[in-house]
Amino acid sequence: MAVTSESPSTSAGHAHEGTYAGGLLSWITTVDHKRIGVMYGVSAFFFFLVGGLEALLIRLQLGSAENTLIDPDLYNQLFTMHGTTMVFLAIMPLSAAFFNFIVPLQIGARDVAFPRLNAFSFWVFFLGALFMNASFLFGGAPDAGWFGYANLTSTQYSPGMRVDFWVIGLLVLGVSSIAAALNFIVTIINLRCEGMTLMRMPLFTWMTLITSFLLVMAFPAITVGLVLLMFDRMFGTLFFNPMAGGDVLLWQHLFWIFGHPEVYILLLPGLGIVSEVIPVFSRKPLFGYAFVVYSGILIAFLGFGVWAHHMFAVGLGPVANTVFSAATMLIAIPTGVKIFNWIATLWGGSLRLRTPLYFALGFIAMFIIGGLSGVMHASAPTDLQQTDTYFIVAHIHYVLFGGVMFALFAGMYYWIPKVTGRMMSERLGKAHFWMMIISFNLTFFPQHFLGLHGMPRRTFTYESGLGFEAMNLMSTVGAMLLGASMLIFIWNVLATLKKGAPAGNDPWEASTLEWSIASPPPHYNFRVLPAVGGRDPLWAEDLTEAVPGDDPSTPEPHMPGPSYFPFATAVGILVLAGGGLTLTLPVVFVGVALILFGIYGWAFQPLEH
Amino acid sequence: MSQTDAAAMEMHSATGLPNRKVLMWAFIGSECMLFGSLIIVYMVYRGKSLVGPYPSDLLNIPFITVTTFVLLMSSLMMVLALSAVQRGDMKWGKIWLFMTALLGMVFLGGQVYEFSHFVHEGLTLKTNLFGGSFFLLTGTHGAHVAVGVLWLLSLVFMAQRGKLTQANAETVEIAGLYWHFVDVVWIVLFTLIYLLV
Amino acid sequence: MALLVVATFALGACGGPFPQSALDPASDFAWKLQDLFEGIFFWAVVVFVLVEGALIIAIVRFRERPGGPEPKATHGNTLLEIAWTLAPAIVLVLIAIPTIKTIWDVDRPARGESLVVEAVGHQWWWEFRYPDLGIVTANELHIPVGQQIDVRLTSADVIHSFWFPRLGGKRDVIPGHENQIWFTADSAGLYLGQCAEFCGLSHALMKMELVAESPADFEAWVERQLADAVVTDSVSFAEGTQAFMRGGCIACHAIRGTVAQGVIGPDLTHVGSRRRIAGGILDNTPENMERWIRDSRGIKPGSLMIVPELDDETMSLIVEYLQNLK
């Protein structure tokens, strides 16, 4: 029987007994992608609820005309934080949870390429999220919108620390995202098991790869924008000062050069999940794998060329508006054809109508609507009526909630059995689905009309007599029910953890490598690294080398040990952020010192100590 | 139990390229976008300052040509350093690494001199758009050089303690990739800021 | 399915009437956008019906049947995939062509005879100037029906957006930039507008009104606006004038023909003639005016109007004075 020799100094955290065993310290120092994935998932879901609460308060305020429940000051903080939280603290980390847990398993690897960098990414995200939300306790949360247009964000029009929290918080979160994306690029490019060429990778892994490239190429633009804004606010530079020749539109360009790829960063992982779920529950392979991959790549490229469709009312001129309208319509093609590929996958299949498939189908149905409203505002002239109104709010929620969140829930219902080793309740899952899809449509469909009938967005109230009351009330009722539907999910998860039936390796009769090992996987994932001969290895018996599960005759692989340097470096960044926020030099120095300590300790600590 | 599997994790590479090298290339891709955005800011605001001092008043092309040359030479030193380490010649490896860092520091010294001269002449971050965009762009580049210098000196230190050997030539190669990138960025900046005045 | 589509449209009419609706065009500019929108909407409905229909058919028809055959493992069909790439491409071209035509039709300077209006966005009110007529006013715009209006847009502080939904699309007003928008109103009436770019605390309370009237009525309005502030003979008017001039109001407000020449706040020369006050959010009554002066920050958070404590008598004199400035 193989015995692994662990260094006694790392007593905290070798999970021999179970993948998740160990106290708090073991979680803080873990470099195991599965645990990191779980931490991302739990944190992200928590912030999803926070963002949801902010939305419910918004909807309560808008439930009736000229309501005085929430004053404009609080309202502006709520809608700013709702957007910021949902984008950066909920959807992105939820996707990261899946990248982390699933991708190494899907490519037949034991972990990501840089396990400590992975831990670092999580802690920076988590501490950054706390930093951003701490603003509520220190003078108020950011209140200039999730898009923070200059020059409203200048110190003149946004005094105090609120916007500084936003700027610095986003810079910190950017570090986390870029580090994680770099890690996944190397992981997917380099750590694929034998026989797994790029065109044999699971779709979810492909989308992760494309998303990671988008992240590393798009974030720098907003980093620069945020730095310019930070310098204007803290050091008196003139970048966005129209009195000194600065151009406020420069902010918009930089923000949207990041912002548009960002929406594909939000979307592609969901597209990847749906591309996994639909074939498994149709019992046939994805129709047109290559097309789906190429369309993903095309979306990423084109995604960098459409940013100014967020600026059609700015007056960029007919040439720019023509180019960006055309490019935006062009990008609808690769986005749309995937839908046909999915329908073609369902067609002729044998559909097992379980909860993951319900959510995947819900995604398609809602995404079609969101995509169509998107085409309407791809046309610059019609967008002149639609932009900055509730029509856009409807669009974004159809694609991001009806789209991405439904896809992420599909992923949760699909992969929670793998993560926890237990099956979830189908009954509760379907109840969650129906309540969610009905209340979702009740909430957001009327908003299309509100926008067309003249209700602008980001308004804390509306006048009576404009016809907005009925539809706002519908929307508010829908939102309350939508919030309640989440309780069903939470109850399901808790019940699953307590008494869910054992899942076994492959409860769904799926095709990809993560289903070839135990649920939850042992901490080394694969005792013997697999080798594959095609796509869908578990279906076509393409595994050229049997994956013997936990065959005890093979020695247990030795995994990288835990490390506290990633956490220490992340804390250093948090301290630096605090020092930067308050412009206290001693704190800045302590932060830098801690970062250097963390980095050097990390660099000189061997991976398998 | 040997290093087998974690090390195997390190060495098993579907492309044959070491993980850290792929990481550095991907990182450089990201950095291109970063400097690209900063350059766009500089170019957008060229000629838009409402008050002086203006670039033509201050930019000292002969001086910066010299410091640029110094930085270019440092890249040569870096090539020599890598070559030495790959041969196993740690003595010259250390020397060339140190020389790279030294020339980098000379370059930085030149930047500090130039910056303080500009401040003395009345150009700060907040004076006008030229001040803001110039200092931000070249300052960001300088910060990258400084990080590089720190990295190189750490490698020299490691070599001194016997921790850097022919076996980790890859580490030096990756530092070299970073250093050359920072140099190439400077060539672009030099051209756009100084030569296109 | 048909029920769903019908229900959709029924929903759209839920809770009307809609006085600020983009779906109720009343100008050439608005009609161009509406026509384009209707064309795109048609294709959207077609695609919606076809694709959602295919989805629903697939779900219903291919449900797992116990004992049913294993599905055939088709991996793709290049011809089909090319076809369903080209089909949406064609639809998009059909949308792109009128789109581009309309862009070049509306995104250009006004052609021909126009009445020029300068609109300046402030936090949280609109300044309107007619440079060729010499008029300065605020929040309420008057235009003659059938005449092309060329609006020059800029901002005095942050980004706002000029939007009268029934008269056309919106255009942002950006500090440091000048933008343009033009339109010709079809018919007389009152048109409601609202700032459509988040601009701070009272963004939701930044409204404006546009009165389109017959050329004769418009001329009459111009004449009244050009005149200096109205003066009546009553004692209380005189006392009200004094109270206003001494009350600190002149630091921000202008009343032509008096010492009040402030430019920070709206011009009040003919404020009595406006339908609404406080940036288009309160009906212009003496009660509202008093409320507004006493508590502008309560009504419009962030308002810069700072008024010293006034006793009831002074307040009513001032209100009466302003109400008389027609």
Side-chain angles (χ1 to χ4, degrees):
Chain A
M1 178 66 191
V3 168
T4 51
S5 54
E6 311 306 346
S7 157
S9 64
T10 57
S11 54
H14 273 282
H16 288 299
E17 311 84 316
T19 311
Y20 308 122
L24 181 64
L25 197 60
S26 78
W27 287 88
I28 291 180
T29 57
T30 186
V31 298
D32 178 351
H33 71 98
K34 299 181 290 298
R35 286 184 173 224
I36 293 171
V38 168
M39 289 196 287
Y40 263 115
V42 172
S43 319
F45 197 78
F46 170 73
F47 283 110
F48 173 65
L49 295 177
V50 170
L53 183 62
E54 286 155 351
L56 291 183
L57 290 171
I58 290 172
R59 284 307 332 158
L60 277 175
Q61 164 63 12
L62 293 176
S64 57
E66 296 165 48
N67 201 359
T68 52
L69 179 69
I70 291 178
D71 67 46
D73 186 47
L74 178 59
Y75 186 90
N76 293 347
Q77 294 173 59
L78 287 175
F79 84 73
T80 301
M81 287 307 281
H82 168 73
T84 306
T85 299
M86 287 307 199
V87 170
F88 294 104
L89 308 183
I91 295 187
M92 286 175 77
L94 211 40
S95 300
F98 288 120
F99 297 163
N100 264 282
F101 201 102
I102 301 298
V103 168
L105 300 179
Q106 284 196 334
I107 62 175
R110 293 218 168 89
D111 206 312
V112 296
F114 300 102
R116 286 171 302 185
L117 189 65
N118 202 15
F120 169 75
S121 295
F122 170 73
W123 288 112
V124 173
F125 148 69
F126 186 73
L127 295 175
L130 292 181
F131 175 85
M132 186 88 93
N133 278 281
S135 59
F136 276 111
L137 302 172
F138 291 105
D143 59 355
W146 90 280
F147 49 95
Y149 274 8
N151 53 347
L152 183 62
T153 46
S154 64
T155 41
Q156 180 179 9
Y157 298 108
S158 289
M161 286 202 306
R162 295 175 177 188
V163 172
D164 299 312
F165 264 107
W166 184 75
V167 168
I168 295 179
L170 283 184
L171 285 171
V172 169
L173 292 170
V175 169
S176 163
S177 291
I178 294 183
L182 290 173
N183 210 346
F184 279 99
I185 288 173
V186 180
T187 302
I188 294 172
I189 288 180
N190 264 5
L191 298 194
R192 283 167 287 135
C193 65
E194 203 183 304
M196 188 175 281
T197 60
L198 287 174
M199 292 308 271
R200 286 178 182 170
M201 293 198 308
L203 237 304
F204 179 69
T205 298
W206 253 115
M207 294 300 139
T208 304
L209 180 63
I210 298 171
T211 304
S212 302
F213 270 107
L214 277 175
L215 274 163
V216 303
M217 300 304 261
F219 252 96
I222 195 182
T223 302
V224 169
L226 289 168
V227 167
L228 298 179
L229 180 58
M230 184 172 77
F231 271 54
D232 269 17
R233 288 181 64 85
M234 294 183 176
F235 307 125
T237 49
L238 308 166
F239 294 112
F240 302 124
N241 187 335
M243 301 294 177
D247 192 347
V248 300
L249 291 182
L250 181 61
W251 166 268
Q252 290 191 28
H253 284 292
L254 286 171
F255 182 82
W256 288 117
I257 287 175
F258 154 77
H260 197 81
E262 168 67 8
V263 315
Y264 294 112
I265 289 167
L266 297 174
L267 177 67
L268 288 180
L271 298 185
I273 293 176
V274 168
S275 302
E276 300 275 335
V277 169
I278 296 215
V280 168
F281 289 84
S282 307
R283 306 182 122 254
K284 56 195 271 278
L286 181 66
F287 190 97
Y289 172 97
F291 254 71
V292 178
V293 169
Y294 296 141
S295 62
I297 296 174
L298 197 56
I299 289 174
F301 268 108
L302 292 178
F304 276 100
V306 300
W307 80 87
H309 67 222
H310 301 270
M311 296 166 68
F312 279 147
V314 156
L316 294 174
V319 176
N321 288 344
T322 302
V323 168
F324 283 101
S325 264
T328 308
M329 292 188 196
L330 191 61
I331 208 173
I333 300 175
T335 320
V337 300
K338 286 185 196 279
I339 295 178
F340 304 142
N341 282 88
W342 293 320
I343 294 179
T345 307
L346 295 167
W347 202 274
S350 173
L351 307 187
R352 291 180 297 148
L353 293 170
R354 303 287 214 291
T355 312
L357 186 64
Y358 268 57
F359 276 94
L361 296 174
F363 162 88
I364 299 177
M366 300 297 100
F367 188 71
I368 291 172
I369 299 177
L372 290 173
S373 60
V375 168
M376 290 183 206
H377 27 267
S379 165
T382 52
D383 189 49
L384 291 181
Q385 288 286 28
Q386 296 161 16
T387 190
D388 265 298
T389 70
Y390 265 81
F391 193 85
I392 306 284
V393 178
H395 163 74
I396 58 185
H397 287 91
Y398 265 88
V399 288
L400 288 178
F401 197 142
V404 178
M405 268 324 286
F406 269 76
L408 290 174
F409 273 113
M412 286 187 256
Y413 281 101
Y414 182 52
W415 278 312
I416 281 182
K418 175 56 58 182
V419 172
T420 61
R422 294 171 178 278
M423 298 304 287
M424 299 180 77
S425 156
E426 274 294 311
R427 203 178 44 90
L428 287 176
K430 284 170 176 158
H432 173 209
F433 171 79
W434 285 113
M435 190 168 177
M436 191 164 146
I437 199 167
I438 291 172
S439 56
F440 167 79
N441 279 287
L442 184 62
T443 310
F444 293 108
F445 202 74
Q447 293 186 0
H448 290 104
F449 296 102
L450 281 173
L452 291 177
H453 285 315
M455 182 172 176
R457 58 191 294 204
R458 301 160 180 159
T459 46
F460 78 97
T461 190
Y462 52 91
E463 209 181 303
S464 59
L466 294 175
F468 299 156
E469 292 90 322
M471 288 187 279
N472 265 294
L473 185 59
M474 266 186 250
S475 184
T476 296
V477 170
M480 298 300 137
L481 294 173
L482 192 53
S485 74
M486 296 306 150
L487 298 174
I488 302 179
F489 175 74
I490 295 171
W491 178 9
N492 197 349
V493 171
L494 294 175
T496 301
L497 290 175
K498 198 149 171 249
K499 55 185 169 79
N505 287 17
D506 185 12
W508 306 122
E509 290 170 73
S511 66
T512 42
L513 286 176
E514 74 270 30
W515 303 103
S516 69
I517 51 182
S519 305
H523 68 272
Y524 47 79
N525 298 350
F526 302 93
R527 206 133 194 166
V528 173
L529 290 178
V532 301
R535 285 173 218 152
D536 301 322
L538 267 57
W539 278 356
E541 285 145 40
D542 270 318
L543 272 179
T544 59
E545 204 169 294
V547 175
D550 223 1
D551 173 12
S553 68
T554 327
E556 214 178 78
H558 188 157
M559 295 302 291
S563 169
Y564 58 88
F565 290 116
F567 180 73
T569 314
V571 171
I573 290 181
L574 179 70
V575 172
L576 177 63
L581 177 75
T582 50
L583 286 175
T584 39
L585 220 45
V587 177
V588 169
F589 280 129
V590 169
V592 172
L594 200 48
I595 291 172
L596 287 174
F597 162 74
I599 290 180
Y600 273 92
W602 180 342
F604 288 104
Q605 177 189 56
L607 197 57
E608 65 291 337
H609 45 96
Chain B
M1 189 55 166
S2 69
Q3 298 196 341
T4 30
D5 281 89
M9 251 172 62
E10 281 280 352
M11 293 197 283
H12 163 81
S13 159
T15 54
L17 291 169
N19 289 348
R20 287 183 299 162
K21 210 193 261 194
V22 178
L23 182 71
M24 180 50 73
W25 277 112
F27 177 67
I28 286 175
S30 190
E31 292 270 89
C32 284
M33 298 302 282
L34 185 79
F35 279 105
S37 303
L38 286 167
I39 289 170
I40 287 175
V41 174
Y42 183 82
M43 301 298 280
V44 160
Y45 281 149
R46 219 159 59 145
K48 299 276 181 15
S49 295
L50 297 181
V51 301
Y54 301 100
S56 47
D57 302 329
L58 291 180
L59 295 179
N60 185 339
I61 296 172
F63 177 73
I64 293 298
T65 307
V66 171
T67 60
T68 303
F69 179 73
V70 166
L71 195 64
L72 281 171
M73 283 301 107
S74 78
S75 264
L76 175 60
M77 304 287 115
M78 188 72 222
V79 171
L80 294 171
L82 177 61
S83 171
V85 173
Q86 281 172 334
R87 279 194 320 263
D89 182 351
M90 291 320 295
K91 171 171 161 249
W92 277 102
K94 262 186 294 182
I95 292 173
W96 293 127
L97 277 175
F98 181 75
M99 286 302 297
T100 312
L102 184 66
L103 291 185
M105 287 190 279
V106 170
F107 172 83
L108 284 176
Q111 292 292 79
V112 170
Y113 171 76
E114 189 195 30
F115 283 19
S116 39
H117 174 68
F118 284 10
V119 171
H120 186 73
E121 293 296 309
L123 183 77
T124 65
L125 268 175
K126 2 200 278 196
T127 310
N128 57 13
L129 291 173
F130 170 56
S133 54
F134 172 82
F135 283 120
L136 185 63
L137 179 54
T138 53
T140 303
H141 175 262
H144 279 76
V145 175
V147 166
V149 166
L150 200 60
W151 189 350
L152 290 166
L153 291 176
S154 307
L155 290 177
V156 172
F157 183 69
M158 271 172 72
Q160 190 70 344
R161 310 276 286 309
K163 293 246 176 88
L164 191 68
T165 65
Q166 185 175 21
N168 18 38
E170 179 192 301
T171 305
V172 177
E173 191 181 356
I174 289 168
L177 274 177
Y178 175 80
W179 190 260
H180 294 310
F181 169 71
V182 169
D183 200 352
V184 167
V185 170
W186 179 252
I187 308 236
V188 174
L189 295 193
F190 175 61
T191 309
L192 289 175
I193 299 176
Y194 295 88
L195 297 185
L196 292 183
V197 172
Chain C
M1 192 85 250
L3 200 63
L4 203 62
V5 175
V6 169
T8 306
F9 284 96
L11 188 66
C14 229
F18 305 104
Q20 199 170 289
S21 176
L23 295 177
D24 189 7
S27 82
D28 56 344
F29 179 37
W31 273 111
K32 288 186 211 283
L33 303 185
Q34 177 72 356
D35 289 338
L36 182 59
F37 176 69
E38 280 170 11
I40 299 176
F41 188 75
F42 166 75
W43 285 112
V45 172
V46 168
V47 171
F48 175 81
V49 169
L50 290 176
V51 183
E52 297 273 13
L55 180 66
I56 291 174
I57 293 173
I59 295 170
V60 170
R61 199 169 140 193
F62 296 104
R63 265 172 319 181
E64 177 178 46
R65 272 160 244 278
E70 264 314 284
K72 216 175 98 177
T74 32
H75 289 267
N77 181 326
T78 312
L79 210 59
L80 188 57
E81 294 176 75
I82 292 177
W84 74 40
T85 307
L86 285 180
I90 293 171
V91 172
L92 286 167
V93 168
L94 294 176
I95 293 177
I97 293 175
T99 293
I100 295 173
K101 275 210 190 125
T102 311
I103 290 176
W104 286 87
D105 195 12
V106 304
D107 227 329
R108 55 165 172 83
R111 264 186 237 132
E113 276 275 322
S114 310
L115 173 63
V116 176
V117 175
E118 288 170 358
V120 181
H122 295 255
Q123 278 182 324
W124 293 278
W125 59 279
W126 288 93
E127 177 185 342
F128 296 127
R129 298 169 167 267
Y130 296 70
D132 301 326
L133 302 176
I135 294 175
V136 177
T137 181
N139 299 318
E140 189 175 292
L141 197 49
H142 283 242
I143 63 169
V145 170
Q147 156 102 69
Q148 184 170 257
I149 313 299
D150 180 358
V151 190
R152 308 284 168 84
L153 302 157
T154 190
S155 170
D157 41 40
V158 299
I159 302 180
H160 303 271
S161 195
F162 180 87
W163 192 36
F164 284 98
R166 293 191 62 205
L167 297 174
K170 60 186 69 72
R171 187 78 84 225
D172 286 356
V173 310
I174 302 167
H177 286 257
E178 192 183 85
N179 266 339
Q180 277 188 330
I181 199 171
W182 51 259
F183 56 88
T184 304
D186 297 339
S187 52
L190 176 69
Y191 297 94
L192 303 178
Q194 200 168 345
C195 171
E197 181 61 64
F198 180 65
C199 54
L201 270 177
S202 285
H203 164 59
L205 303 176
M206 183 169 162
K207 292 170 171 254
M208 61 279 206
E209 301 195 327
L210 184 147
V211 175
E213 46 199 0
S214 70
D217 287 340
F218 177 70
E219 284 306 316
W221 179 81
V222 170
E223 284 221 27
R224 286 195 305 271
Q225 289 290 316
L226 280 174
D228 282 352
V230 166
V231 176
T232 63
D233 273 333
S234 73
V235 172
S236 58
F237 185 87
E239 286 180 352
T241 314
Q242 291 295 317
F244 182 88
M245 299 304 156
R246 287 209 209 102
C249 318
I250 66 174
C252 300
H253 292 287
I255 297 181
R256 232 171 312 128
T258 71
V259 300
Q261 299 292 310
V263 293
I264 299 172
D267 183 297
L268 300 179
T269 311
H270 299 285
V271 63
S273 69
R274 291 181 204 153
R275 226 180 63 90
R276 287 195 151 191
I277 54 170
I281 59 172
L282 294 175
D283 291 331
N284 191 357
T285 66
E287 300 73 32
N288 279 343
M289 197 174 260
E290 178 169 338
R291 268 183 64 215
W292 171 242
I293 298 173
R294 275 206 199 281
D295 186 26
S296 61
R297 287 171 159 196
I299 293 173
K300 209 165 196 177
S303 165
L304 294 175
M305 186 158 96
I306 309 165
V307 176
E309 195 56 49
L310 293 171
D311 61 75
D312 288 347
E313 209 208 308
T314 320
M315 176 63 78
S316 62
L317 284 172
I318 290 181
V319 169
E320 194 194 320
Y321 167 62
L322 293 171
Q323 289 285 314
N324 275 303
L325 294 177
K326 293 201 193 289

